[in-house]
Amino acid sequence: MKKRYISTLFASMMMVSLALSACSGNTNNSPDNTGAAQGNNPDETAGGLKPYHLVMAFPGSTPKDLDAVNEAMSKYLQEKINATIELRPIDWGAWNDKTNLMFASQEPFDVIWTSSWQGLGQQVAKGQIIPVDDLINSYGKDIKQIIDPEVVEGGKINGKIYGVVTNKEFASTRGIVMRKDLVEKYGIDTSTLKELKDFTPVFEKIKAGEAGMTPIEAEANNSPLTQMLQYDGLGDGPGGVVRGTTDLKVVNMVATPEYMDLAKLMNEWYKAGFINKDAPTRNDGVANAVKAGKAFSYAVSMKPGIELQESRNTGMPMVAVELTQPFMTTGDTTSSMLAIPTTSSDPERAMMFINLLYTDKYLINLLNWGIEGTHYTKVSDNIIDYPQGVTSANSGYNLNQSWMFGNQMNTYLWKQEDPDLWSKYKTFNESAEKSPALGFVFAPDSVKNEITAVNNVSQQFSPVIVTGAVDPAVTIPDYLKKLEAAGVDKIIAEKQRQLDEWAKTNK
Amino acid sequence: MNKKEKESWVIHLFFGITSLLMILPLLLVLIASLTDEQSILANGYSFFPEKFSLDAYHYLFILDPGVIFRSYGVTIIVTVVGTIVSLLLTAMLAYPLSRTTLPFRNAFAFFVFFTLLFNGGLVSWYLVYARFIDLRDTVWALIIPGLLLNGFNVLIMRTFFTTTIPPTMIEAAHIDGAGEARIFAQFVVPLSKPVFATIGLFNTIAYWNDWYNSLVFLSRAKFFSLQYMLNMSLLNIQFLSQNSQNTNAASLMQSTPQETMRMAMAIIGIGPILLAYPFFQKYFVKGLTIGAIKG
């Protein structure tokens, strides 16, 4: 009897140790090439490149005709860089799980879409993507000519470039969009609306004239306050640099007078019934309320073409009123980039491909809109429309994510869109005021626990304050106390320290 | 009303309310799937919608049938194949463990039991199925990982065999010249219908409801299961609305399926599994135990 117990004990110990060693042992394996099917054709082709199979992962739903587009792209790329391609869209909801598993299992793939709001900092910290400075200099020369160098700098972490920024709008303005039919009905003169306060009489008219309609729709993390507070958030966690200051001082935004003023205004509006009563608990998209005919306006982050975008979101014509000048932060410049994972067995080829996405008009449009004649037809040189009998709902290839890849300014525009949109983007970018901390990325690892604690506090207070449901004079001091207890000062001190370090090397 | 009648009223009322609590949410989903999109946006969900419409089903089955029918087929095939194979394997492992004459019986039993307490974690689990046995993008990825053999089910079955199959019967069969395989197939299996029904139902539900394997192992839409489709349509919307401050994410919101469509998908997803219950029902009456003596 005793003997048996001992042997089971040994057996179990062995299994545990085996299991443990299996977990720790996969970090320094060299990636094998199961996924990247190397063509075994030894012939050197034009350009002297061996055949190679590229895999590109990005978030999005899988379109029906993906294979056809893969094939068309591969055919074209074989001529250009002797590579075939497999696009691998991964559902937004599965993106984090799936990419983490791909990295953990050393799965070979060559290009990954990333962004500051989707794990860029983490991927760099874990060494999942490679720095690409040298690759850009040798295989991505054209990228440097297309994008403003300062924006390329914006993608730097610890002094190295980790992602190639998509050439799109790099700034945002903030403001309010309103229903066009009601703006006309009540004769609202939008030129007199310069700041949030000016909207009070407008909302009064709507409140009085349209029974049961919410003048301005807000929700837990998207209200006029969250949109209009002007600062550079410097990545994860609390603390930011107030817009217009140049001394690079990180402050707790909740403690600023601007926050208090906006919160007071929200509270007035809430009490006057301008903001929907259920705002603190809602979180399903403000545009839906307008779509349902229940609301008149909402606050939004803007860029050229916003009126059309929001009209599509709400299903009715909208008027946009910009209340701020364009402002560029690292969050904007790193909001969409292409990076190369460490598991890529041919990073050079991956960079050649990325470079083509910036220079090659045919390729980028194939990736974004599919095959001409099947998924779109040309109306004129740069304008496209759906072919006969095809709609956005039944199209076989409707990625509709042109802001994700390469050079958006090279992509076709739909018939309903502003034909001059790209040149407007250019002027918009050029006119943008750059944050003094542009190019700084905060590495939050050392204060992770504090950030979690602070986020928990914020989830409790922020929704009711930003929607105006409570009296800020009472609640904000309480909120600040709780934040302090959660360690907000430590995070801000750490941010300040890193920012000062960065300023020394970058100014 | 005497005391006994009163008591039974109370009991009836209690279970009536409990049943209602189960049925009403389901009913609400059904009604929402038949409601006009605009009235949901305007008034929220309601048992008495302003306007009925079959748009969601029309879209799913007529305008864009390929995707739904395909994943439906995948789910049904995987459930049927998976359940049968899984039942067979579970029984073939549990039965020997229930026989006292099996050498190293306890060591094997411990081996099964150990998996209930410890596992290698997600990454190593993924590595085995992705790198050593490459199941990625095959239909096997939906059948094998995590579902095919469940230690808990093996132990339930083993207990059942040890408690209900008399060893004397097996001996008698032996003496009459039956081999091990024949004893298992012609004596043990027919006598163990309740446990097969139970484990069968567990498996059926596990396979039918599984979406995680699709998420982890499939990168192409070819074999996505129905539940994955449903899950993703919900998760995508959740994700995009959380990031709605980002203008780019906001612009994607328009292409996500609408409320009524998601509800319709949920209803379609429930369908067949509801029909499976009555089929298994009659076997449950006999009851099951893991440890103690059955009354």
mmCIF file of all heavy atoms in Angstrom, chain A residues 282-319:
data_model
loop_
_atom_site.group_PDB
_atom_site.id
_atom_site.type_symbol
_atom_site.label_atom_id
_atom_site.label_comp_id
_atom_site.label_asym_id
_atom_site.label_seq_id
_atom_site.Cartn_x
_atom_site.Cartn_y
_atom_site.Cartn_z
ATOM 1 N N ARG A 282 -25.631 54.386 -19.756
ATOM 2 C CA ARG A 282 -25.689 53.957 -21.165
ATOM 3 C C ARG A 282 -24.293 53.763 -21.712
ATOM 4 O O ARG A 282 -23.342 54.379 -21.278
ATOM 5 C CB ARG A 282 -26.405 55.005 -22.001
ATOM 6 C CG ARG A 282 -27.897 54.957 -21.866
ATOM 7 C CD ARG A 282 -28.503 55.874 -22.881
ATOM 8 N NE ARG A 282 -28.470 55.260 -24.193
ATOM 9 C CZ ARG A 282 -29.548 54.743 -24.758
ATOM 10 N NH1 ARG A 282 -30.677 54.738 -24.124
ATOM 11 N NH2 ARG A 282 -29.467 54.210 -25.956
ATOM 12 N N ASN A 283 -24.203 52.872 -22.698
ATOM 13 C CA ASN A 283 -22.901 52.707 -23.342
ATOM 14 C C ASN A 283 -23.053 52.044 -24.691
ATOM 15 O O ASN A 283 -22.311 51.155 -25.037
ATOM 16 C CB ASN A 283 -21.988 51.859 -22.452
ATOM 17 C CG ASN A 283 -20.550 52.273 -22.669
ATOM 18 O OD1 ASN A 283 -20.268 53.107 -23.522
ATOM 19 N ND2 ASN A 283 -19.637 51.691 -21.936
ATOM 20 N N ASP A 284 -24.044 52.465 -25.472
ATOM 21 C CA ASP A 284 -24.260 51.729 -26.717
ATOM 22 C C ASP A 284 -24.248 52.633 -27.944
ATOM 23 O O ASP A 284 -24.934 52.380 -28.910
ATOM 24 C CB ASP A 284 -25.563 50.937 -26.643
ATOM 25 C CG ASP A 284 -26.718 51.820 -26.236
ATOM 26 O OD1 ASP A 284 -26.470 53.001 -25.936
ATOM 27 O OD2 ASP A 284 -27.868 51.341 -26.225
ATOM 28 N N GLY A 285 -23.468 53.704 -27.860
ATOM 29 C CA GLY A 285 -23.324 54.533 -29.052
ATOM 30 C C GLY A 285 -24.352 55.654 -29.094
ATOM 31 O O GLY A 285 -25.546 55.410 -29.158
ATOM 32 N N VAL A 286 -23.872 56.908 -28.999
ATOM 33 C CA VAL A 286 -24.776 58.056 -28.967
ATOM 34 C C VAL A 286 -25.523 58.224 -30.281
ATOM 35 O O VAL A 286 -26.648 58.727 -30.309
ATOM 36 C CB VAL A 286 -24.009 59.346 -28.620
ATOM 37 C CG1 VAL A 286 -23.764 59.444 -27.136
ATOM 38 C CG2 VAL A 286 -22.710 59.437 -29.376
ATOM 39 N N ALA A 287 -24.896 57.794 -31.378
ATOM 40 C CA ALA A 287 -25.535 57.991 -32.679
ATOM 41 C C ALA A 287 -26.854 57.236 -32.775
ATOM 42 O O ALA A 287 -27.780 57.666 -33.463
ATOM 43 C CB ALA A 287 -24.601 57.550 -33.805
ATOM 44 N N ASN A 288 -26.949 56.110 -32.057
ATOM 45 C CA ASN A 288 -28.168 55.303 -32.123
ATOM 46 C C ASN A 288 -29.396 56.053 -31.623
ATOM 47 O O ASN A 288 -30.502 55.827 -32.085
ATOM 48 C CB ASN A 288 -28.001 54.015 -31.314
ATOM 49 C CG ASN A 288 -27.221 52.986 -32.094
ATOM 50 O OD1 ASN A 288 -27.239 53.006 -33.327
ATOM 51 N ND2 ASN A 288 -26.536 52.102 -31.402
ATOM 52 N N ALA A 289 -29.178 56.936 -30.615
ATOM 53 C CA ALA A 289 -30.310 57.684 -30.072
ATOM 54 C C ALA A 289 -30.863 58.643 -31.117
ATOM 55 O O ALA A 289 -32.070 58.840 -31.232
ATOM 56 C CB ALA A 289 -29.885 58.444 -28.818
ATOM 57 N N VAL A 290 -29.950 59.252 -31.887
ATOM 58 C CA VAL A 290 -30.399 60.148 -32.954
ATOM 59 C C VAL A 290 -31.095 59.337 -34.042
ATOM 60 O O VAL A 290 -32.132 59.727 -34.565
ATOM 61 C CB VAL A 290 -29.209 60.938 -33.542
ATOM 62 C CG1 VAL A 290 -29.648 61.773 -34.735
ATOM 63 C CG2 VAL A 290 -28.589 61.828 -32.472
ATOM 64 N N LYS A 291 -30.519 58.183 -34.339
ATOM 65 C CA LYS A 291 -31.084 57.297 -35.355
ATOM 66 C C LYS A 291 -32.532 56.945 -35.007
ATOM 67 O O LYS A 291 -33.380 56.853 -35.880
ATOM 68 C CB LYS A 291 -30.243 56.021 -35.419
ATOM 69 C CG LYS A 291 -30.467 55.197 -36.646
ATOM 70 C CD LYS A 291 -29.522 54.018 -36.627
ATOM 71 C CE LYS A 291 -29.538 53.275 -37.943
ATOM 72 N NZ LYS A 291 -28.479 52.268 -37.996
ATOM 73 N N ALA A 292 -32.783 56.753 -33.726
ATOM 74 C CA ALA A 292 -34.120 56.351 -33.281
ATOM 75 C C ALA A 292 -35.060 57.538 -33.151
ATOM 76 O O ALA A 292 -36.201 57.373 -32.742
ATOM 77 C CB ALA A 292 -34.017 55.629 -31.947
ATOM 78 N N GLY A 293 -34.556 58.733 -33.472
ATOM 79 C CA GLY A 293 -35.412 59.911 -33.385
ATOM 80 C C GLY A 293 -35.615 60.401 -31.966
ATOM 81 O O GLY A 293 -36.556 61.124 -31.675
ATOM 82 N N LYS A 294 -34.723 59.993 -31.046
ATOM 83 C CA LYS A 294 -34.908 60.384 -29.647
ATOM 84 C C LYS A 294 -34.003 61.532 -29.221
ATOM 85 O O LYS A 294 -34.165 62.080 -28.151
ATOM 86 C CB LYS A 294 -34.616 59.181 -28.729
ATOM 87 C CG LYS A 294 -35.727 58.161 -28.788
ATOM 88 C CD LYS A 294 -35.740 57.285 -27.568
ATOM 89 C CE LYS A 294 -34.399 56.646 -27.286
ATOM 90 N NZ LYS A 294 -34.501 55.602 -26.253
ATOM 91 N N ALA A 295 -32.988 61.855 -30.033
ATOM 92 C CA ALA A 295 -32.048 62.893 -29.622
ATOM 93 C C ALA A 295 -31.741 63.817 -30.790
ATOM 94 O O ALA A 295 -31.933 63.461 -31.960
ATOM 95 C CB ALA A 295 -30.766 62.264 -29.089
ATOM 96 N N PHE A 296 -31.239 65.009 -30.438
ATOM 97 C CA PHE A 296 -30.993 66.043 -31.443
ATOM 98 C C PHE A 296 -29.506 66.140 -31.783
ATOM 99 O O PHE A 296 -29.129 66.386 -32.927
ATOM 100 C CB PHE A 296 -31.525 67.368 -30.896
ATOM 101 C CG PHE A 296 -30.979 68.595 -31.581
ATOM 102 C CD1 PHE A 296 -31.349 68.907 -32.887
ATOM 103 C CD2 PHE A 296 -30.105 69.441 -30.908
ATOM 104 C CE1 PHE A 296 -30.848 70.046 -33.509
ATOM 105 C CE2 PHE A 296 -29.604 70.579 -31.530
ATOM 106 C CZ PHE A 296 -29.967 70.879 -32.836
ATOM 107 N N SER A 297 -28.631 65.932 -30.804
ATOM 108 C CA SER A 297 -27.209 66.149 -31.065
ATOM 109 C C SER A 297 -26.352 65.324 -30.116
ATOM 110 O O SER A 297 -26.846 64.740 -29.157
ATOM 111 C CB SER A 297 -26.860 67.626 -30.865
ATOM 112 O OG SER A 297 -26.944 67.946 -29.485
ATOM 113 N N TYR A 298 -25.059 65.276 -30.402
ATOM 114 C CA TYR A 298 -24.097 64.682 -29.481
ATOM 115 C C TYR A 298 -22.707 65.220 -29.779
ATOM 116 O O TYR A 298 -22.460 65.802 -30.838
ATOM 117 C CB TYR A 298 -24.107 63.152 -29.549
ATOM 118 C CG TYR A 298 -23.957 62.559 -30.922
ATOM 119 C CD1 TYR A 298 -22.699 62.286 -31.451
ATOM 120 C CD2 TYR A 298 -25.080 62.266 -31.689
ATOM 121 C CE1 TYR A 298 -22.568 61.733 -32.712
ATOM 122 C CE2 TYR A 298 -24.954 61.716 -32.963
ATOM 123 C CZ TYR A 298 -23.695 61.453 -33.463
ATOM 124 O OH TYR A 298 -23.566 60.903 -34.712
ATOM 125 N N ALA A 299 -21.814 65.053 -28.801
ATOM 126 C CA ALA A 299 -20.440 65.532 -28.964
ATOM 127 C C ALA A 299 -19.610 64.431 -29.601
ATOM 128 O O ALA A 299 -19.841 63.255 -29.362
ATOM 129 C CB ALA A 299 -19.858 65.896 -27.609
ATOM 130 N N VAL A 300 -18.621 64.843 -30.404
ATOM 131 C CA VAL A 300 -17.870 63.827 -31.120
ATOM 132 C C VAL A 300 -16.481 64.348 -31.461
ATOM 133 O O VAL A 300 -16.239 65.558 -31.491
ATOM 134 C CB VAL A 300 -18.661 63.420 -32.395
ATOM 135 C CG1 VAL A 300 -18.580 64.483 -33.458
ATOM 136 C CG2 VAL A 300 -18.193 62.090 -32.937
ATOM 137 N N SER A 301 -15.561 63.412 -31.657
ATOM 138 C CA SER A 301 -14.217 63.760 -32.109
ATOM 139 C C SER A 301 -14.247 63.872 -33.631
ATOM 140 O O SER A 301 -14.796 63.009 -34.295
ATOM 141 C CB SER A 301 -13.278 62.647 -31.657
ATOM 142 O OG SER A 301 -12.085 62.703 -32.365
ATOM 143 N N MET A 302 -13.688 64.953 -34.176
ATOM 144 C CA MET A 302 -13.928 65.244 -35.585
ATOM 145 C C MET A 302 -12.684 65.256 -36.447
ATOM 146 O O MET A 302 -11.570 65.429 -35.968
ATOM 147 C CB MET A 302 -14.596 66.612 -35.722
ATOM 148 C CG MET A 302 -15.936 66.684 -35.041
ATOM 149 S SD MET A 302 -16.696 68.270 -35.358
ATOM 150 C CE MET A 302 -18.283 68.016 -34.609
ATOM 151 N N LYS A 303 -12.934 65.075 -37.747
ATOM 152 C CA LYS A 303 -11.902 65.188 -38.769
ATOM 153 C C LYS A 303 -12.632 65.549 -40.059
ATOM 154 O O LYS A 303 -13.863 65.506 -40.090
ATOM 155 C CB LYS A 303 -11.160 63.863 -38.899
ATOM 156 C CG LYS A 303 -12.071 62.708 -39.289
ATOM 157 C CD LYS A 303 -11.329 61.406 -39.356
ATOM 158 C CE LYS A 303 -12.251 60.301 -39.858
ATOM 159 N NZ LYS A 303 -11.666 58.988 -39.800
ATOM 160 N N PRO A 304 -11.938 65.900 -41.129
ATOM 161 C CA PRO A 304 -12.655 66.218 -42.360
ATOM 162 C C PRO A 304 -13.555 65.062 -42.776
ATOM 163 O O PRO A 304 -13.173 63.897 -42.636
ATOM 164 C CB PRO A 304 -11.526 66.421 -43.378
ATOM 165 C CG PRO A 304 -10.353 66.846 -42.572
ATOM 166 C CD PRO A 304 -10.487 66.140 -41.260
ATOM 167 N N GLY A 305 -14.741 65.398 -43.272
ATOM 168 C CA GLY A 305 -15.660 64.350 -43.695
ATOM 169 C C GLY A 305 -16.541 63.835 -42.577
ATOM 170 O O GLY A 305 -17.270 62.868 -42.753
ATOM 171 N N ILE A 306 -16.481 64.506 -41.419
ATOM 172 C CA ILE A 306 -17.218 64.007 -40.255
ATOM 173 C C ILE A 306 -18.732 64.081 -40.480
ATOM 174 O O ILE A 306 -19.468 63.215 -40.032
ATOM 175 C CB ILE A 306 -16.826 64.785 -38.970
ATOM 176 C CG1 ILE A 306 -17.458 64.156 -37.731
ATOM 177 C CG2 ILE A 306 -17.234 66.244 -39.038
ATOM 178 C CD1 ILE A 306 -16.812 62.899 -37.296
ATOM 179 N N GLU A 307 -19.201 65.120 -41.176
ATOM 180 C CA GLU A 307 -20.653 65.273 -41.359
ATOM 181 C C GLU A 307 -21.222 64.065 -42.082
ATOM 182 O O GLU A 307 -22.244 63.520 -41.703
ATOM 183 C CB GLU A 307 -20.970 66.555 -42.134
ATOM 184 C CG GLU A 307 -20.865 67.791 -41.249
ATOM 185 C CD GLU A 307 -21.354 69.064 -41.932
ATOM 186 O OE1 GLU A 307 -21.660 69.021 -43.129
ATOM 187 O OE2 GLU A 307 -21.416 70.102 -41.247
ATOM 188 N N LEU A 308 -20.511 63.630 -43.119
ATOM 189 C CA LEU A 308 -20.976 62.481 -43.881
ATOM 190 C C LEU A 308 -20.925 61.217 -43.026
ATOM 191 O O LEU A 308 -21.850 60.423 -43.006
ATOM 192 C CB LEU A 308 -20.118 62.293 -45.124
ATOM 193 C CG LEU A 308 -20.627 61.174 -46.006
ATOM 194 C CD1 LEU A 308 -21.677 61.698 -46.958
ATOM 195 C CD2 LEU A 308 -19.506 60.523 -46.759
ATOM 196 N N GLN A 309 -19.817 61.071 -42.282
ATOM 197 C CA GLN A 309 -19.654 59.881 -41.456
ATOM 198 C C GLN A 309 -20.787 59.771 -40.445
ATOM 199 O O GLN A 309 -21.394 58.713 -40.279
ATOM 200 C CB GLN A 309 -18.309 59.933 -40.724
ATOM 201 C CG GLN A 309 -18.077 58.748 -39.803
ATOM 202 C CD GLN A 309 -16.822 58.907 -38.974
ATOM 203 O OE1 GLN A 309 -15.740 59.134 -39.492
ATOM 204 N NE2 GLN A 309 -16.976 58.796 -37.663
ATOM 205 N N GLU A 310 -21.063 60.882 -39.761
ATOM 206 C CA GLU A 310 -22.111 60.839 -38.735
ATOM 207 C C GLU A 310 -23.492 60.731 -39.363
ATOM 208 O O GLU A 310 -24.393 60.149 -38.786
ATOM 209 C CB GLU A 310 -22.016 62.057 -37.816
ATOM 210 C CG GLU A 310 -20.739 62.083 -36.978
ATOM 211 C CD GLU A 310 -20.482 60.785 -36.206
ATOM 212 O OE1 GLU A 310 -21.432 60.268 -35.595
ATOM 213 O OE2 GLU A 310 -19.347 60.287 -36.219
ATOM 214 N N SER A 311 -23.662 61.296 -40.562
ATOM 215 C CA SER A 311 -24.946 61.131 -41.241
ATOM 216 C C SER A 311 -25.184 59.665 -41.546
ATOM 217 O O SER A 311 -26.305 59.175 -41.460
ATOM 218 C CB SER A 311 -24.980 61.935 -42.547
ATOM 219 O OG SER A 311 -24.740 63.298 -42.280
ATOM 220 N N ARG A 312 -24.123 58.964 -41.884
ATOM 221 C CA ARG A 312 -24.263 57.531 -42.128
ATOM 222 C C ARG A 312 -24.563 56.791 -40.829
ATOM 223 O O ARG A 312 -25.367 55.866 -40.798
ATOM 224 C CB ARG A 312 -22.995 56.972 -42.764
ATOM 225 C CG ARG A 312 -23.106 56.959 -44.279
ATOM 226 C CD ARG A 312 -21.989 56.163 -44.894
ATOM 227 N NE ARG A 312 -20.699 56.787 -44.627
ATOM 228 C CZ ARG A 312 -19.574 56.446 -45.246
ATOM 229 N NH1 ARG A 312 -19.582 55.511 -46.136
ATOM 230 N NH2 ARG A 312 -18.437 57.042 -44.971
ATOM 231 N N ASN A 313 -23.922 57.226 -39.740
ATOM 232 C CA ASN A 313 -24.153 56.555 -38.456
ATOM 233 C C ASN A 313 -25.561 56.760 -37.933
ATOM 234 O O ASN A 313 -26.091 55.928 -37.219
ATOM 235 C CB ASN A 313 -23.160 57.058 -37.401
ATOM 236 C CG ASN A 313 -21.794 56.427 -37.579
ATOM 237 O OD1 ASN A 313 -21.675 55.394 -38.211
ATOM 238 N ND2 ASN A 313 -20.777 57.049 -37.021
ATOM 239 N N THR A 314 -26.129 57.919 -38.246
ATOM 240 C CA THR A 314 -27.444 58.216 -37.689
ATOM 241 C C THR A 314 -28.559 57.996 -38.696
ATOM 242 O O THR A 314 -29.724 57.972 -38.331
ATOM 243 C CB THR A 314 -27.524 59.687 -37.240
ATOM 244 O OG1 THR A 314 -27.193 60.503 -38.361
ATOM 245 C CG2 THR A 314 -26.556 59.967 -36.117
ATOM 246 N N GLY A 315 -28.201 57.879 -39.967
ATOM 247 C CA GLY A 315 -29.220 57.674 -40.984
ATOM 248 C C GLY A 315 -29.984 58.933 -41.338
ATOM 249 O O GLY A 315 -31.038 58.872 -41.946
ATOM 250 N N MET A 316 -29.501 60.098 -40.914
ATOM 251 C CA MET A 316 -30.133 61.355 -41.337
ATOM 252 C C MET A 316 -29.068 62.441 -41.449
ATOM 253 O O MET A 316 -28.021 62.351 -40.806
ATOM 254 C CB MET A 316 -31.250 61.772 -40.393
ATOM 255 C CG MET A 316 -30.918 61.742 -38.926
ATOM 256 S SD MET A 316 -32.357 62.128 -37.953
ATOM 257 C CE MET A 316 -33.090 60.520 -37.723
ATOM 258 N N PRO A 317 -29.330 63.474 -42.277
ATOM 259 C CA PRO A 317 -28.300 64.503 -42.486
ATOM 260 C C PRO A 317 -27.945 65.211 -41.177
ATOM 261 O O PRO A 317 -28.830 65.555 -40.402
ATOM 262 C CB PRO A 317 -28.966 65.483 -43.457
ATOM 263 C CG PRO A 317 -30.125 64.762 -44.034
ATOM 264 C CD PRO A 317 -30.537 63.718 -43.058
ATOM 265 N N MET A 318 -26.646 65.399 -40.946
ATOM 266 C CA MET A 318 -26.179 66.050 -39.722
ATOM 267 C C MET A 318 -25.341 67.284 -40.062
ATOM 268 O O MET A 318 -24.740 67.359 -41.124
ATOM 269 C CB MET A 318 -25.300 65.089 -38.894
ATOM 270 C CG MET A 318 -25.963 63.784 -38.487
ATOM 271 S SD MET A 318 -27.379 63.952 -37.403
ATOM 272 C CE MET A 318 -26.611 64.219 -35.826
ATOM 273 N N VAL A 319 -25.336 68.222 -39.115
ATOM 274 C CA VAL A 319 -24.477 69.410 -39.243
ATOM 275 C C VAL A 319 -23.430 69.320 -38.148
ATOM 276 O O VAL A 319 -23.760 69.041 -37.001
ATOM 277 C CB VAL A 319 -25.278 70.704 -39.034
ATOM 278 C CG1 VAL A 319 -24.382 71.915 -39.231
ATOM 279 C CG2 VAL A 319 -26.448 70.740 -39.986
#
